[in-house]
Amino acid sequence: MLGDLSLTANLIVFAGAALVILVAGTKMTGMADRIADRTGLGEAVTGGLLLGAATSLSGTVVSVTSALDGRASLAFSNGIGGIAAQTAFLAFADLIYRRANLEHAAADVANLFQSTLLMLMLVVPLAAFVMPDVAFWSVHPASVVLVGLYLFGAYASVGIRQSPMWRAVDTRETRDDQPEDDEDAQKSAVSLLVPFAALMVLLGLAGYAIARSAGALTEQLGLSSALVGALMTAVVTSLPELVTTLAAVRRGALQLAVGGIIGGNTFDVLFLTLSDISYRDGSLYHAIGTGDLFWVVVGLAMTAVLLIGLILREESGPANMGWESLTMLGIYGGAVGFQAWSG
């Protein structure tokens, strides 16, 4: 339907959906922080599982809708491109947190685990691409492996929170995950989960509008699907992660900020499973080109740098940012420049 609209109309739809994503994502942050307190899961686990999945919903809809339309490249690059963009958001969060480097203050073993899990999951699509084109009911076995890894990670993350085998060294700048002592603390988490779920539905509808308008814009502007997916839809559908990360840092919920990004990235890899199921012309991993895998490599590199920062925990750095944050911005900026030049 949107393909029949003018270029200007499609741009308006795209921008309007982006605004909805921005507003809904902002409201989710405070809810997630209170849900973490009331359920006892903690900020890192709640950020990695609940907030990460919720803010990724609009991107999920974009990838699935694109796959159903037969746009394999757009479906793939949207999910993977969002990982790089969202990781770069942590560098901006590091910049606004003035007391110390974010990776130093937000010490939590769950975030270390989620980072390594994310790297492992990103290897799967690379392996699927170089392996034989095998599919059962048009679904590649790699998609099943991704679901298994994610479920294992969700189970293990809760166990790490309850019975950690490693603990970060506390310093004067370490921000502990302490429940808020407010008048609503005794209320049931259900009172927050219901409006939280409503906002998730709103994000999903906005994601559908983004997918339809992006498909039309790809044809009207004559751009490649990989370029649109990695630099347009991926960035726009990642706006909730940017907003929730900055808002969480402002609230002092540092583990929630870092966990939300890493968890959202982990959930984004599951876009590939859903997209592979939705793409009915065979394996999604063999319907893409080598150019689509570029952002997998970028995501792996940025996650590795982030993990190094979380382990080293540099307390201060240039411009009140850690060297890992500057490196991540450099990698992402270089990748964007290369994609724009080559696309």
Side-chain angles (χ1 to χ4, degrees):
M1 180 178 66
L2 294 182
D4 298 329
L5 298 179
S6 66
L7 174 62
T8 301
N10 273 308
L11 287 173
I12 292 175
V13 172
F14 193 91
L19 181 61
V20 171
I21 291 173
L22 190 64
V23 174
T26 304
K27 293 183 177 296
M28 283 182 162
T29 308
M31 292 182 184
D33 193 10
R34 293 193 293 275
I35 290 172
D37 295 341
R38 297 180 195 181
T39 59
L41 290 176
E43 293 174 1
V45 174
T46 302
L49 298 181
L50 181 62
L51 187 61
T55 53
S56 296
L57 184 59
S58 56
T60 304
V61 174
V62 171
S63 288
V64 169
T65 303
S66 300
L68 288 171
D69 291 342
R71 302 176 184 272
S73 180
L74 180 60
F76 187 94
S77 59
N78 172 71
I80 298 300
I83 293 173
Q86 289 155 199
T87 307
F89 293 162
L90 279 179
F92 294 110
D94 190 10
L95 181 62
I96 69 170
Y97 188 70
R98 309 303 300 174
R99 293 185 56 180
N101 289 342
L102 184 62
E103 287 79 6
H104 174 91
D108 194 289
V109 68
N111 287 332
L112 297 177
F113 173 76
Q114 288 280 348
S115 297
T116 56
L117 176 67
L118 173 59
M119 294 176 67
L120 179 60
M121 292 180 69
L122 283 172
V123 171
V124 174
L126 286 175
F129 182 80
V130 300
M131 292 174 65
D133 186 358
V134 178
F136 301 94
W137 298 285
S138 298
V139 177
H140 195 281
S143 297
V144 180
V145 173
L146 287 176
V147 175
L149 288 174
Y150 184 82
L151 293 176
F152 162 74
Y155 173 79
S157 294
V158 176
I160 289 172
R161 169 69 181 177
Q162 295 174 345
S163 303
M165 297 298 292
W166 296 89
R167 296 186 184 277
V169 175
D170 288 338
T171 69
R172 62 179 182 175
E173 298 298 346
T174 303
R175 197 280 182 185
D176 293 327
D177 179 4
Q178 297 292 340
E180 294 184 4
D181 184 18
D182 59 21
E183 59 183 10
D184 295 328
Q186 303 303 318
K187 292 184 179 180
S188 170
V190 176
S191 62
L192 288 172
L193 289 172
V194 172
F196 194 90
L199 289 173
M200 286 182 62
V201 173
L202 190 60
L203 285 177
L205 293 174
Y208 180 79
I210 288 285
R212 291 303 187 190
S213 58
L217 290 172
T218 300
E219 298 174 356
Q220 291 173 335
L221 295 176
L223 301 175
S224 70
S225 295
L227 181 64
V228 172
L231 300 184
M232 286 182 61
T233 64
V235 172
V236 169
T237 55
S238 296
L239 286 177
E241 281 85 353
L242 174 61
V243 173
T244 54
T245 300
L246 299 182
V249 169
R250 291 291 189 186
R251 290 173 61 91
L254 305 187
Q255 286 87 356
L256 183 68
V258 177
I261 289 293
I262 300 173
N265 287 347
T266 305
F267 193 82
D268 282 1
V269 185
L270 289 183
F271 287 8
L272 302 183
T273 296
L274 297 174
S275 298
D276 189 26
I277 295 172
S278 302
Y279 186 73
R280 305 317 301 160
D281 296 329
S283 166
L284 177 78
Y285 308 99
H286 293 88
I288 59 174
T290 54
D292 295 302
L293 296 178
F294 172 73
W295 287 99
V296 178
V297 177
V298 173
L300 269 170
M302 294 181 70
T303 304
V305 171
L306 173 61
L307 180 59
I308 291 172
L310 290 171
I311 294 174
L312 293 179
R313 296 183 64 200
E314 181 185 32
E315 186 170 346
S316 60
N320 203 52
M321 297 176 68
W323 284 105
E324 70 281 350
S325 294
L326 292 173
T327 303
M328 289 189 298
L329 284 179
I331 293 173
Y332 185 69
V336 170
F338 175 80
Q339 181 77 81
W341 172 75
S342 61

